Structure formats: structure tokens, C-alpha cells
Amino acid sequence: MTPRQLPLRNLKRKPARTAGLLLLVLFLAFSLFAGTVISMSLQRGLGSLEARLGADIIVVPSSAKSKVDLDGIFLQGTTGYFYMDAGYVDKLQAISGVEQLSPQLFLASLRASCCTIPVQVIGIDQATDFSIQPWITKSYSKALGDLDVVVGCKVNADIGESIKIYGENCKVVARLDATGTGLDTAIYCSMDSLRHLLESARALGHDLKISGDPAQVISAVYIRVGDGYDIQKVVDDINLHVRKVQAVRTKSMLTGIADSLSGVSRSVRLLILVIWILCIVILLIAFGMLIHERKKEFAVLRVLGMSRAMLARMMLSESFLLSLMGSILGTALAALLVLPFSTLIEGLLNLPFLLPDTPALLGIALFTVLACLVIGPLSSAFAAFRLSRVDPAAILKEGA
Amino acid sequence: MQLHAEGIEKRFFRKTGSANNFFAVSKTDFDLLPGAVTVLVGRSGSGKTTLLQMLSGLLSPTSGKVFADGTDLYSLPDKALSRFRSTHLAVIPQGLSLLQNLTVMENLLLPGSLYSKSPVTEGTALEMLEKLGIGHLAGVYPTELSGGESRRVAISRALLHRPDVLFADEPTGDLDDENTDLVLDLLQAEARRGAAVLLVTHEAGAERIADNVYRMTAGKLSCERSAHEA
Ligand SMILES: Nc1ncnc2c1ncn2[C@@H]1O[C@H](COP(=O)(O)OP(=O)(O)O)[C@@H](O)[C@H]1O
Ligand SMILES: [Mg+2]
């Protein structure tokens, strides 16, 4: 038995006390890691959502606004469809300030072979699209052929496989990176493919409530406003001059999310703070109570020849070991709960959620462990000081 | 090693009658000679433990100095004093003094591992335990020991490292006659080997191994019998 082995032995021989202190450090690590990851993921989710939308304005038929949840369709990937005449593209083009515009066509699949839940199928006009294709070209650089589809990362289909939509075999040619939004559950194809699918759906007897020529409909128009133009003014112009459509500013769709996101972030940070203050106070009290409980033990060590420095070092080593074990356990537990269940958390918070990449996660884990390795021994510092100065003469008397 | 105390006294703060402090040990000189057993007797509360702690480097005197072979103990910084105590002195405290987290064997071995001394082997430690009739308890934790057994472990621990000066504060208080004799013999053997031994005791039988006998009366030390006078 050497003084180096003492800290671990002391921890082992007092399992209840050790477990209690370990649990406190575990809470510290858990809350810091889980909280940081969650709030970073929300931030990244919003960033990716902004980038993914790519448009300043989205125009939909004015009837759509009352029928379906637009935020849901564009941000959260809920399914929905509505149609207007393709001729609106030209009318919108005429509005001053509109620099780029591209129509999209929606179809909500009821049963696709890939998916247990309905999937939003989105047809893009490859000649004009600027919002989706930049993402697709990351994984697929060729033009989309007839019935070729690109799937969001959460659609359960591999490249090369076929998925059946309204009886048609669609070939998966690419998968998109995760965005942390509902768009991850969507399927993309060319405008022509989508018209093909529309026909098939109608042939199967589904009433899509298309008024006019099905070959001439679109669902939404994505607009990018030229530099120097006021986006709000363009929105107002469209709503004023183009009848039967509704222009929506994407930013206003996102502000709702951004607001609740910063609210959640703030709550998470507040929660971390509260847990930390609470845990540190309890740690301080716990170590403070140790002073009394362990006076005798330290006095004996002193009589046996250990110096004050050795005693202080022993106490600090104990809290260091506790903090090391507690923080690794807490971080691991938080990782185990947060990482695999990110989808669930996204659903619970109803906010876009995009986990940081592996190096960033490792960085947060390291930071968490380091923070605990500082806080743990620091909260035992007073106890270490007092115990190292215990007076052996006053304690080692008869009966004591 | 010769231990020499010069004019040491210890004052404690405590309300006693009109005064609010009193001398647990009044100013005194004291010598502990190598090769001799010095016995200190006196009523409970007379200041024996206080004197022993001042001599063993555990309690700094209110005034006066303690020299070990010429080194002023209390002028040393904590680290040096601790090392000195660990290397040259051993104390059998009056109260219970086993480390609860260590087995009997580990309790014995720990002091030897503190500073890079030549460590004591388990074999030697076991022999020491066997001398005191507790060899079978080597692997046991102190919570499972009786008072007498704990006491004997503490005695073994102090003897094992062959100190130059051995302090024993009522080491036989909770031992039966047979074990008391055994312990007294062992203390005498320590002195024979050249150690200076200070034995605080009520035990009448201790007279038989005593080279010098001192009496403490309300903090005042008096010599009852000295080897030089005999
Ligand atoms: N730390 C202390 N503070 C105040 N008084 C003390 C302290 N330690 C001992 N005393 C008092 O000093 C006197 C001598 O104590 P002690 O040396 O333990 O006596 P003995 O060992 O002879 O029984 C007693 O009256 C005791 O109450
Ligand atoms: Mg005493």
C-alpha cells in the first residue's frame, strides 16, 4: 500500500459516499453535454433550413393558405398539395424585382413502398431551379431522368433501389445530406416525372382537385429577389397585382421558428446554469460535510508521517478521480440519450435539429470532461485545505 | 537519537475559575536517551499526552524548543518535519488510530512507503503481527477488530519501522495481563536495540522495564527515579 493507491482505495471503501458524489458530477457532465449539443443542433438546424429554402419569396395559390399549413409543408415536411395554373410564372416574372423564379409541383404520396408515413413528392423545374438543385448536385450531378428520384436522408431507400409511388417504379439516384428539417423526408424528381405521377394518381382514382389542365399546373413558385430591391415591397406588389395567389416571405416563415428556437436555446442554457449552480452548491456542502467525517482519518495519516501537502494532494486526487469517472459516465450517458434520439427530440421540440459533426461532438465531450475536472477538484479545495490542516493532537486522544 | 526538550510549556485557552487559560504542561526540560525506557506516570488530565505530543513533533509548544540530535524540530517547515517524523519517530496514539479503509497488513505497510525509505516486506510485517498473536488478522479490515486487537495492530505498525524514538501513549490500556507483559517486553527490546522509548502508562508492572520514571502532576513534571541516580 502506497500513498498513490490511497485515493482510489478510499473511494472504493466508501461506496455510498462515492456513488453520491459521482452522481453529482454525472449530472454536471450530463447537463452540460446534452444541453450544449441540443442548443447547437437547433442553431445548425435553423442555418440549414435557411440555406435549404434558398428563396426569398414563395408564391402559392391563395386558396392554399387556408387549406394547408404552409410552414409545415415548406419547413417541416408535412404533406400537402394545391395547384394553380402554370401561366402565373409569366405574370410573376413581370413583377419588378423578381430576378430568378422557378415553379415546383407537389404530390403527397399516400403509400410509397419506402415509407410508412406519407411522403411529400416535389417536382422541380430543372431549367430554372435554384433552391433544390444546389443540394442535389452535391450528390448527383446529372440531370434527373424520367422517374428518377432523389430522396431526403430519412427516406428509407438506397441508391439504385426502386420505390413505388402510385404504382410507378421510381429509381433512387441520389440521397441528400441531412438538413435536420422535415425536408429530410421528402422525395424530389423532375417536373415531367411529377406530372407523370400525377396522371398515375388520377388514373388510380385519386381526386387531386386540379382545376384546369393537369399538364399545365404548378403548386408553388420560388422567387429570388434581385440585389437592391426591397423583398417586402416585391411581396406586396405580387399580392396587389397578381390575383388569386399569395406571396409569402420565407424569412417570416422562419422567424416563428427562429423565435421559438432562441427561446428553447435560452431555456436550455438557463437549465444548464441552474443545474450547475445546484450541483456545485451540493458538491460544496457534501465536501464540507466530509471535513468533519474524515478529520480522524487525516489526523492518523498525519501521525504516520504524511505532510500537509500530501494530504491535500490525496483529497484533490480523490475528487479528481471522481470527476473523471463522473464526467465520462455523464457524457457517455448524455451521448447515448441525445445522439440516437435526435429524431425524437426534433419531434418533441418541433424544431429543426441538426447534430454537430463528429469532431465537434468530440470537442464538446472533451470540453465537458475538462470542465468537470476543474469544477470537481475546485469544489473540494476548501475541504482539502481544512483537512490537510487538521490538528492530530486535538483528535487522537483517548476514546476518540 | 537523543531527544532534548528545552523549557517547553503548553498553554491552552479554557475558562478555569478566574483565568481563561491554563498550562497543560508547565515550563520544563526533558531528555529522552537512546537505549533507555522512560516511563511517564500521572493522573488522567495531568498533561502526559500533551507532553508526548510536543516531544513527538505533533504539537508545537507555546514556548521552548525540542531538539532531535541538535535539530530544532519546530523550526522545520511542515514537509521536512513530516519526513523527519516519518523517518525517525513512531507514535502509538492513545485513541484508536487504524485507517479504516486499509486492511491490517496495509495499515502496517503504509508508513514505510511514504518517503523513499527502504520498504518493509509483507513477510516482516507478518512476523511482527505474529509476535503479537494477531498474524491471522492480516487481511482483515479494522472494523472487524476488537479494541485489544486494534491496539496491537497499532503497536505492530509503530514497532515495524524500527524508529529511533518510540512514543507509546497508554498502549496497554485495553490489553489483558498476558498481552500487557508481551508488549512491555517488546518495548524493552526496542530500547535494547538502541531506540529511545517514552512510555506513558498507568500500568504498575511497567516499573520493571523502566530505566527512568517521571511523574506528571497538574502539568508539573518531576523525576521519580533516574538511571543515573541508581
Ligand atoms: N486542545 C486542547 N484544548 C484545551 N485543553 C486541552 C486540549 N488538549 C488537552 N487539554 C487539557 O489539557 C489537560 C491535559 O490533557 P492531556 O495531556 O490529554 O492529559 P493526560 O494525557 O495526562 O490525561 C487536560 O485538562 C485537558 O483537558
Ligand atoms: Mg492522555
Side-chain angles (χ1 to χ4, degrees), chain B residues 92-128:
Chain B
I92 303 165
Q94 191 170 2
L96 298 174
S97 64
L98 296 187
L99 294 163
Q100 304 294 312
N101 295 340
L102 305 187
T103 63
V104 165
M105 176 56 79
E106 291 165 343
N107 260 283
L108 258 63
L109 295 180
L110 181 69
S113 71
L114 286 184
Y115 302 88
S116 38
K117 290 180 275 190
S118 57
V120 179
T121 64
E122 282 202 25
T124 326
L126 197 61
E127 270 173 39
M128 180 57 74

Short mmCIF file of all heavy atoms in Angstrom, two decimals, chain B residues 92-128:
data_model
loop_
_atom_site.label_atom_id
_atom_site.label_comp_id
_atom_site.label_asym_id
_atom_site.label_seq_id
_atom_site.Cartn_x
_atom_site.Cartn_y
_atom_site.Cartn_z
N ILE B 92 2.52 5.56 19.07
CA ILE B 92 1.32 4.75 19.29
C ILE B 92 0.36 5.66 20.03
O ILE B 92 0.52 5.91 21.22
CB ILE B 92 1.64 3.50 20.15
CG1 ILE B 92 2.75 2.67 19.50
CG2 ILE B 92 0.38 2.67 20.34
CD1 ILE B 92 3.37 1.66 20.45
N PRO B 93 -0.64 6.23 19.31
CA PRO B 93 -1.52 7.22 19.96
C PRO B 93 -2.42 6.56 20.99
O PRO B 93 -2.62 5.35 20.98
CB PRO B 93 -2.34 7.79 18.80
CG PRO B 93 -1.73 7.26 17.56
CD PRO B 93 -1.03 6.01 17.91
N GLN B 94 -2.95 7.43 21.84
CA GLN B 94 -3.80 6.92 22.92
C GLN B 94 -5.13 6.37 22.39
O GLN B 94 -5.60 5.34 22.83
CB GLN B 94 -4.06 8.04 23.92
CG GLN B 94 -4.69 7.55 25.20
CD GLN B 94 -4.71 8.64 26.26
OE1 GLN B 94 -4.29 9.76 26.02
NE2 GLN B 94 -5.19 8.30 27.44
N GLY B 95 -5.72 7.09 21.44
CA GLY B 95 -7.02 6.65 20.91
C GLY B 95 -6.86 5.61 19.82
O GLY B 95 -5.78 5.09 19.57
N LEU B 96 -7.98 5.32 19.16
CA LEU B 96 -7.94 4.39 18.04
C LEU B 96 -7.25 5.07 16.86
O LEU B 96 -7.52 6.23 16.58
CB LEU B 96 -9.36 3.98 17.63
CG LEU B 96 -10.14 3.25 18.73
CD1 LEU B 96 -11.59 3.04 18.28
CD2 LEU B 96 -9.48 1.93 19.06
N SER B 97 -6.38 4.36 16.19
CA SER B 97 -5.60 5.04 15.16
C SER B 97 -5.38 4.18 13.92
O SER B 97 -4.39 4.35 13.23
CB SER B 97 -4.26 5.46 15.73
OG SER B 97 -3.52 4.31 16.09
N LEU B 98 -6.29 3.27 13.64
CA LEU B 98 -6.13 2.50 12.41
C LEU B 98 -6.90 3.15 11.28
O LEU B 98 -7.95 3.76 11.50
CB LEU B 98 -6.63 1.07 12.62
CG LEU B 98 -5.85 0.27 13.66
CD1 LEU B 98 -6.31 -1.18 13.67
CD2 LEU B 98 -4.35 0.33 13.41
N LEU B 99 -6.36 3.04 10.08
CA LEU B 99 -7.06 3.57 8.91
C LEU B 99 -8.11 2.57 8.49
O LEU B 99 -7.80 1.43 8.14
CB LEU B 99 -6.06 3.82 7.78
CG LEU B 99 -5.06 4.92 8.10
CD1 LEU B 99 -3.86 4.86 7.17
CD2 LEU B 99 -5.74 6.28 8.01
N GLN B 100 -9.37 3.00 8.53
CA GLN B 100 -10.48 2.08 8.32
C GLN B 100 -10.54 1.54 6.89
O GLN B 100 -11.12 0.49 6.65
CB GLN B 100 -11.81 2.79 8.63
CG GLN B 100 -11.88 3.36 10.04
CD GLN B 100 -11.88 2.27 11.09
OE1 GLN B 100 -12.64 1.31 10.98
NE2 GLN B 100 -11.02 2.40 12.08
N ASN B 101 -9.96 2.29 5.96
CA ASN B 101 -10.06 1.88 4.56
C ASN B 101 -8.99 0.86 4.16
O ASN B 101 -9.01 0.36 3.06
CB ASN B 101 -9.96 3.09 3.64
CG ASN B 101 -11.13 4.02 3.81
OD1 ASN B 101 -12.17 3.61 4.32
ND2 ASN B 101 -10.98 5.27 3.39
N LEU B 102 -8.05 0.61 5.08
CA LEU B 102 -6.97 -0.31 4.76
C LEU B 102 -7.06 -1.55 5.64
O LEU B 102 -7.52 -1.49 6.77
CB LEU B 102 -5.61 0.37 4.99
CG LEU B 102 -5.34 1.68 4.27
CD1 LEU B 102 -3.90 2.11 4.48
CD2 LEU B 102 -5.64 1.55 2.79
N THR B 103 -6.59 -2.69 5.10
CA THR B 103 -6.54 -3.90 5.91
C THR B 103 -5.43 -3.74 6.94
O THR B 103 -4.64 -2.80 6.90
CB THR B 103 -6.20 -5.13 5.04
OG1 THR B 103 -4.89 -4.94 4.49
CG2 THR B 103 -7.19 -5.31 3.91
N VAL B 104 -5.42 -4.68 7.88
CA VAL B 104 -4.39 -4.68 8.92
C VAL B 104 -3.01 -4.65 8.27
O VAL B 104 -2.16 -3.82 8.62
CB VAL B 104 -4.56 -5.93 9.82
CG1 VAL B 104 -3.31 -6.14 10.66
CG2 VAL B 104 -5.79 -5.77 10.70
N MET B 105 -2.77 -5.53 7.31
CA MET B 105 -1.47 -5.58 6.64
C MET B 105 -1.14 -4.25 5.98
O MET B 105 -0.02 -3.73 6.10
CB MET B 105 -1.48 -6.72 5.60
CG MET B 105 -0.24 -6.84 4.76
SD MET B 105 1.27 -7.03 5.75
CE MET B 105 1.20 -8.76 6.19
N GLU B 106 -2.12 -3.67 5.27
CA GLU B 106 -1.88 -2.39 4.59
C GLU B 106 -1.61 -1.26 5.58
O GLU B 106 -0.80 -0.38 5.32
CB GLU B 106 -3.07 -2.05 3.68
CG GLU B 106 -3.18 -2.99 2.48
CD GLU B 106 -4.53 -2.92 1.78
OE1 GLU B 106 -5.50 -2.42 2.39
OE2 GLU B 106 -4.62 -3.39 0.65
N ASN B 107 -2.30 -1.31 6.72
CA ASN B 107 -2.04 -0.34 7.77
C ASN B 107 -0.58 -0.40 8.20
O ASN B 107 0.05 0.62 8.46
CB ASN B 107 -2.93 -0.61 8.98
CG ASN B 107 -4.14 0.31 9.02
OD1 ASN B 107 -4.02 1.47 9.38
ND2 ASN B 107 -5.30 -0.19 8.60
N LEU B 108 -0.06 -1.62 8.27
CA LEU B 108 1.33 -1.79 8.69
C LEU B 108 2.30 -1.28 7.64
O LEU B 108 3.34 -0.70 7.97
CB LEU B 108 1.60 -3.28 8.97
CG LEU B 108 1.62 -3.67 10.46
CD1 LEU B 108 0.27 -3.43 11.09
CD2 LEU B 108 2.06 -5.11 10.64
N LEU B 109 1.97 -1.51 6.37
CA LEU B 109 2.94 -1.21 5.31
C LEU B 109 2.95 0.26 4.89
O LEU B 109 3.95 0.76 4.39
CB LEU B 109 2.66 -2.08 4.07
CG LEU B 109 2.85 -3.59 4.29
CD1 LEU B 109 2.54 -4.35 3.01
CD2 LEU B 109 4.28 -3.90 4.74
N LEU B 110 1.83 0.97 5.09
CA LEU B 110 1.73 2.34 4.57
C LEU B 110 2.86 3.28 5.05
O LEU B 110 3.49 3.94 4.23
CB LEU B 110 0.37 2.94 4.90
CG LEU B 110 0.18 4.37 4.37
CD1 LEU B 110 0.10 4.38 2.86
CD2 LEU B 110 -1.04 5.04 4.97
N PRO B 111 3.15 3.34 6.35
CA PRO B 111 4.16 4.32 6.79
C PRO B 111 5.51 4.11 6.11
O PRO B 111 6.21 5.08 5.81
CB PRO B 111 4.27 4.05 8.30
CG PRO B 111 2.99 3.41 8.68
CD PRO B 111 2.58 2.60 7.49
N GLY B 112 5.85 2.86 5.80
CA GLY B 112 7.14 2.58 5.18
C GLY B 112 7.22 3.04 3.75
O GLY B 112 8.31 3.18 3.17
N SER B 113 6.05 3.31 3.13
CA SER B 113 6.06 3.66 1.71
C SER B 113 5.99 5.17 1.49
O SER B 113 5.97 5.64 0.36
CB SER B 113 4.86 3.00 1.02
OG SER B 113 3.68 3.63 1.44
N LEU B 114 5.96 5.93 2.58
CA LEU B 114 5.68 7.37 2.43
C LEU B 114 6.82 8.14 1.77
O LEU B 114 6.61 8.93 0.87
CB LEU B 114 5.37 7.99 3.79
CG LEU B 114 4.00 7.63 4.34
CD1 LEU B 114 3.75 8.36 5.64
CD2 LEU B 114 2.92 7.96 3.34
N TYR B 115 8.00 7.96 2.25
CA TYR B 115 9.14 8.65 1.63
C TYR B 115 10.03 7.52 1.15
O TYR B 115 9.94 6.41 1.65
CB TYR B 115 9.83 9.54 2.66
CG TYR B 115 8.88 10.55 3.24
CD1 TYR B 115 8.11 10.26 4.36
CD2 TYR B 115 8.71 11.80 2.64
CE1 TYR B 115 7.21 11.17 4.88
CE2 TYR B 115 7.81 12.71 3.16
CZ TYR B 115 7.07 12.41 4.27
OH TYR B 115 6.17 13.31 4.77
N SER B 116 10.84 7.79 0.16
CA SER B 116 11.58 6.66 -0.42
C SER B 116 12.53 6.03 0.60
O SER B 116 13.73 6.15 0.52
CB SER B 116 12.34 7.11 -1.66
OG SER B 116 12.85 8.41 -1.45
N LYS B 117 11.88 5.40 1.59
CA LYS B 117 12.66 4.63 2.55
C LYS B 117 12.79 3.22 2.00
O LYS B 117 12.10 2.86 1.06
CB LYS B 117 11.90 4.58 3.90
CG LYS B 117 11.87 5.91 4.60
CD LYS B 117 11.13 5.82 5.91
CE LYS B 117 9.64 6.00 5.74
NZ LYS B 117 8.90 6.15 6.98
N SER B 118 13.65 2.41 2.60
CA SER B 118 13.67 1.01 2.16
C SER B 118 12.41 0.38 2.72
O SER B 118 12.21 0.34 3.93
CB SER B 118 14.92 0.30 2.69
OG SER B 118 14.97 0.39 4.10
N PRO B 119 11.51 -0.06 1.83
CA PRO B 119 10.20 -0.50 2.31
C PRO B 119 10.29 -1.82 3.07
O PRO B 119 11.19 -2.62 2.85
CB PRO B 119 9.40 -0.67 1.01
CG PRO B 119 10.41 -0.82 -0.06
CD PRO B 119 11.69 -0.22 0.40
N VAL B 120 9.33 -2.01 3.96
CA VAL B 120 9.25 -3.22 4.75
C VAL B 120 8.50 -4.27 3.94
O VAL B 120 7.53 -3.96 3.25
CB VAL B 120 8.47 -2.92 6.05
CG1 VAL B 120 8.34 -4.16 6.90
CG2 VAL B 120 9.16 -1.80 6.81
N THR B 121 8.95 -5.50 3.99
CA THR B 121 8.26 -6.54 3.22
C THR B 121 7.07 -7.07 4.01
O THR B 121 6.99 -6.91 5.23
CB THR B 121 9.20 -7.72 2.94
OG1 THR B 121 9.54 -8.33 4.18
CG2 THR B 121 10.46 -7.27 2.23
N GLU B 122 6.16 -7.70 3.25
CA GLU B 122 4.98 -8.29 3.90
C GLU B 122 5.39 -9.36 4.89
O GLU B 122 4.76 -9.52 5.94
CB GLU B 122 4.05 -8.89 2.84
CG GLU B 122 3.22 -7.85 2.13
CD GLU B 122 1.95 -8.45 1.51
OE1 GLU B 122 1.48 -9.49 2.02
OE2 GLU B 122 1.45 -7.86 0.54
N GLY B 123 6.45 -10.09 4.55
CA GLY B 123 6.92 -11.15 5.44
C GLY B 123 7.30 -10.61 6.80
O GLY B 123 6.89 -11.15 7.84
N THR B 124 8.08 -9.53 6.79
CA THR B 124 8.50 -8.92 8.06
C THR B 124 7.29 -8.43 8.83
O THR B 124 7.21 -8.58 10.06
CB THR B 124 9.42 -7.71 7.78
OG1 THR B 124 10.20 -7.98 6.63
CG2 THR B 124 10.30 -7.43 8.97
N ALA B 125 6.34 -7.84 8.10
CA ALA B 125 5.14 -7.32 8.75
C ALA B 125 4.35 -8.45 9.40
O ALA B 125 3.86 -8.32 10.53
CB ALA B 125 4.27 -6.58 7.74
N LEU B 126 4.27 -9.57 8.68
CA LEU B 126 3.52 -10.71 9.21
C LEU B 126 4.18 -11.26 10.47
O LEU B 126 3.51 -11.58 11.46
CB LEU B 126 3.42 -11.79 8.13
CG LEU B 126 2.35 -12.85 8.37
CD1 LEU B 126 0.97 -12.21 8.44
CD2 LEU B 126 2.38 -13.91 7.28
N GLU B 127 5.50 -11.31 10.44
CA GLU B 127 6.24 -11.77 11.63
C GLU B 127 5.89 -10.91 12.84
O GLU B 127 5.68 -11.41 13.94
CB GLU B 127 7.75 -11.67 11.39
CG GLU B 127 8.36 -12.92 10.80
CD GLU B 127 9.82 -12.68 10.42
OE1 GLU B 127 10.51 -11.98 11.18
OE2 GLU B 127 10.22 -13.17 9.35
N MET B 128 5.86 -9.58 12.59
CA MET B 128 5.56 -8.66 13.68
C MET B 128 4.16 -8.92 14.23
O MET B 128 3.95 -8.94 15.45
CB MET B 128 5.68 -7.22 13.16
CG MET B 128 5.40 -6.15 14.19
SD MET B 128 6.44 -6.25 15.64
CE MET B 128 7.99 -5.65 15.00
#
